[in-house]
Amino acid sequence: MPGTVPAPGPESAGDASPHGSKVRVENVAVRLGGNQILDGISLEVAPHEFVCIIGTSGGGKTTLLRSVAGLLPLSGGSVHLDGEPVVAPTPRIAMVFQHFGLFPWKTVRTNVEYGLRVQGRVADDTGERVDRLLRIMNLAHCADHYPHQLSGGMKQRVGIARALAVEPELLLLDEPFSAVDAITRELLQNEVLELWERSADTTGMLITHDIDEAILMADRVVVIAGPPGRIALEVPVDIPRPRSARSVRTHPGYPQLRDTLWNALQTGETP
């Protein structure tokens, strides 16, 4: 069973009852190529909660996220979104990948519009919605550029804008900031948090290797140990929002929280 380290202050969003869960992962197991990647993962995410999942390489973090997205078959257990089983990709879930996944023959604008067009959701306000996202993500000046004309950070902004354009109920992010420089990474973190906070209907799950990133962005941090992947620890982040990298590092609860997560990553065990 995963351990939970209590934190002072208000009850965490992650303490919602099963009946109030947006996402419910129940005893999920995944085998790929004869290897057991996940073994008995159970996790609940409350509506509009932002959960970060951290762990060492090969522990099954990305496999868990792809399972939640309906992209991988399960060898055991189940995934539910609002009580409905997720057995295949659904327009209610959007995923941002580590390596952009942009169409090189499409412009920034048409890449962002892509999900809406595939879902047949192009409407009179589509252009306005796309323009708003381009402005928020600082992409308006390059709306007609192609991916080869963009920096890594700009490409990732396009991928994030494309996911948000469909207004997903569940936003899944698989290490979306790992391929950019430190300054761009912090800017992107702030932009994603701002967009998530504005959208009360969107729940977020982020995979990261970075403990500080997880503390900055999460309502709750889940540590995955493996292989095979299992939940070693769940910790609520009791630091007020809105947050910045500076406000997190100067918060009195930060050192103990970071040490707890670091120790769980090193040992793969619940303290």
Side-chain angles (χ1 to χ4, degrees), residues 108-155:
V108 167
R109 179 182 297 280
T110 53
N111 263 289
V112 174
E113 290 175 349
Y114 176 76
L116 291 167
R117 293 191 178 278
V118 167
Q119 295 177 16
R121 294 172 53 192
V122 176
D124 292 341
D125 66 342
T126 295
E128 181 180 342
R129 184 190 308 181
V130 171
D131 286 342
R132 178 177 62 85
L133 281 169
L134 293 176
R135 288 195 303 272
I136 292 172
M137 301 302 289
N138 296 311
L139 292 167
H141 65 288
C142 59
D144 297 322
H145 290 188
Y146 289 87
H148 75 271
Q149 298 172 286
L150 308 178
S151 67
M154 293 167 73
K155 291 176 184 177

Side-chain angles (χ1 to χ4, degrees), residues 28-32 37-38 58-69 71-74 95 174 207:
V28 160
V30 174
R31 290 184 66 87
L32 297 173
I37 310 300
L38 298 178
K61 303 182 302 300
T62 293
T63 298
L64 173 59
L65 211 65
R66 289 174 179 264
S67 300
V68 171
L71 296 173
L72 290 176
L74 307 181
M95 188 162 178
D174 185 10
I207 297 290

Side-chain angles (χ1 to χ4, degrees), residues 9 17 48-49 79 85 122 143 145 162 173 181 191 225 230 233 236 241 243 251 255-256 260:
S17 71
H48 196 54
E49 186 180 15
V79 175
V122 176
H145 290 188
R162 182 174 60 186
L173 303 113
D181 61 87
E191 287 165 354
R230 58 183 177 79
L233 187 66
R241 296 188 187 271
R243 299 175 190 156
H251 190 275
Q256 180 180 353
T260 297

Side-chain angles (χ1 to χ4, degrees), residues 11 18 34 36 39 65 67 85-86 99 109 132 140 152 155 161 167 192 213 229 238 254:
E11 185 175 3
Q36 189 77 37
D39 185 17
L65 211 65
S67 300
V86 178
H99 297 297
R109 179 182 297 280
R132 178 177 62 85
K155 291 176 184 177
E167 298 178 332
V192 169
E213 180 171 271
D238 188 38
Y254 166 78

Side-chain angles (χ1 to χ4, degrees), residues 50 96 136-137 156 160-161 164 171 173 176-177 186-198 206 217:
F50 202 112
V96 179
I136 292 172
M137 301 302 289
Q156 199 58 286
I160 293 168
L164 290 167
L171 178 64
L173 303 113
F177 316 127
E186 190 164 326
L187 290 172
L188 285 172
Q189 290 167 346
N190 292 336
E191 287 165 354
V192 169
L193 280 177
E194 181 180 352
L195 286 165
W196 168 76
E197 287 168 353
R198 287 182 180 183
L206 167 73
M217 302 192 72

